[in-house]
Amino acid sequence: ALSGLVPRIIGVGFKRIPKFGILLGLSFFLGEDGNISTTAAFGASVLSAPFINPIRMIEKQQRAFFKETGVEKPIMEILRESAKQNFVPLFRGTVPLMGHSCASALLGLAGQPKLQKYIKEELSQYGIGNFTSGLLASAAVTPIYVGVTNPLSRLEVIMQTSKIDGKAIGVIEACTEVVNDSKQFGLRGVFRGQGLGIAKGILSLTAFHQGRIWLMETFRDHNISNGSYTPKVGSA
């Protein structure tokens, strides 16, 4: 159950650097006021994918090797095998990852805060706070997100779990396999694991945005208290 955990932890932390670095850069050049725009979210998700994909590839290789042998494959062994092909195998699945990241950014990064704000305004009379409105917004966004990204995740898994020293599976071949799955198992072949994906998505999306809001408010209050920032009249 814990195979691939180390690269997963590293990946979750590492992918924040290019993704949010690019996001902040695009937001700065677009002259945004701190709200996450669709353009910035889209650009950050696409441009950061090549930096994130190698770690996801290592994670999938460890899980696939564990499933076959019962032993977790060392990270250095995966890197040595990739080095024989100039590390090109580490970028398998980058195309579906771009699509996955784009949907994630547009729905989760940019869409969820807007929906949360709307829900909070509509239900303010019932005393709905940030956490509850965030949970409701995540519950509304996540099924759409999972429905869009699950087929892309299947493509990514198919492309990244093939042996590094074997024949690489391209996007067209992976799409063909997904189509064959759908013919054999119906929609279950395309949307495997959707129920668990929705539960995970609701919790992770809510936790992420609540953490973001807490940090943003903490730093804002600190900057106001030391006089380095003066909020605009009428701002929250």
Side-chain angles (χ1 to χ4, degrees):
L2 301 180
S3 62
L5 179 61
V6 173
R8 176 67 173 173
I9 293 174
I10 295 173
V12 168
F14 178 78
K15 74 179 182 180
R16 304 299 183 209
I17 299 173
K19 194 166 191 176
F20 288 99
I22 295 172
L23 179 65
L24 289 173
L26 289 174
S27 296
F28 174 78
F29 285 111
L30 292 172
E32 296 174 353
D33 59 356
N35 295 318
I36 302 171
S37 71
T38 302
T39 304
F42 174 79
S45 62
V46 172
L47 296 176
S48 64
F51 298 96
I52 300 169
N53 198 79
I55 294 177
R56 293 175 69 93
M57 173 69 180
I58 293 172
E59 174 195 338
K60 300 294 194 308
Q61 282 291 307
Q62 285 195 316
R63 290 181 179 177
F65 190 81
F66 184 85
K67 185 177 181 180
E68 290 181 3
T69 65
V71 180
E72 186 175 288
K73 192 173 187 177
I75 295 176
M76 291 308 299
E77 184 177 340
I78 296 173
L79 292 176
R80 281 193 293 268
E81 290 180 359
S82 300
K84 295 178 182 178
Q85 302 181 48
N86 298 318
F87 297 102
V88 172
L90 293 180
F91 295 92
R92 293 176 184 174
T94 301
V95 174
L97 175 60
M98 285 183 177
H100 185 285
S101 297
C102 182
S104 173
L106 295 178
L107 293 171
L109 198 59
Q112 196 268 7
K114 295 178 181 178
L115 183 58
Q116 179 179 1
K117 182 179 179 181
Y118 172 78
I119 290 175
K120 188 176 180 180
E121 290 175 351
E122 292 295 316
L123 300 180
S124 59
Q125 56 182 319
Y126 301 105
I128 296 296
N130 278 333
F131 179 79
T132 304
S133 60
L135 190 64
L136 292 173
S138 297
V141 168
T142 300
I144 302 172
Y145 162 74
V146 172
V148 172
T149 60
N150 223 60
L152 294 171
S153 295
R154 284 279 294 132
L155 293 177
E156 189 181 344
V157 168
I158 291 170
M159 295 174 70
Q160 293 182 343
T161 53
S162 60
K163 292 184 178 180
I164 291 177
D165 55 0
K167 183 180 181 297
I169 299 177
V171 177
I172 302 301
E173 294 170 282
C175 289
T176 302
E177 186 168 335
V178 171
V179 170
N180 291 335
D181 274 356
S182 65
K183 289 180 179 178
Q184 184 175 358
F185 301 105
L187 288 178
R188 289 181 301 169
V190 180
F191 295 99
R192 292 178 181 176
Q194 189 170 8
L196 290 175
I198 291 174
K200 171 197 166 189
I202 292 174
L203 294 176
S204 63
L205 192 58
T206 302
F208 168 77
H209 281 293
Q210 289 307 119
R212 177 184 63 80
I213 291 171
W214 180 81
L215 287 172
M216 183 177 68
E217 292 179 347
T218 300
F219 279 106
R220 183 190 62 188
D221 293 342
H222 172 74
N223 290 335
I224 292 175
S225 65
N226 64 23
S228 59
Y229 171 71
T230 302
K232 297 178 181 180
V233 178
S235 62

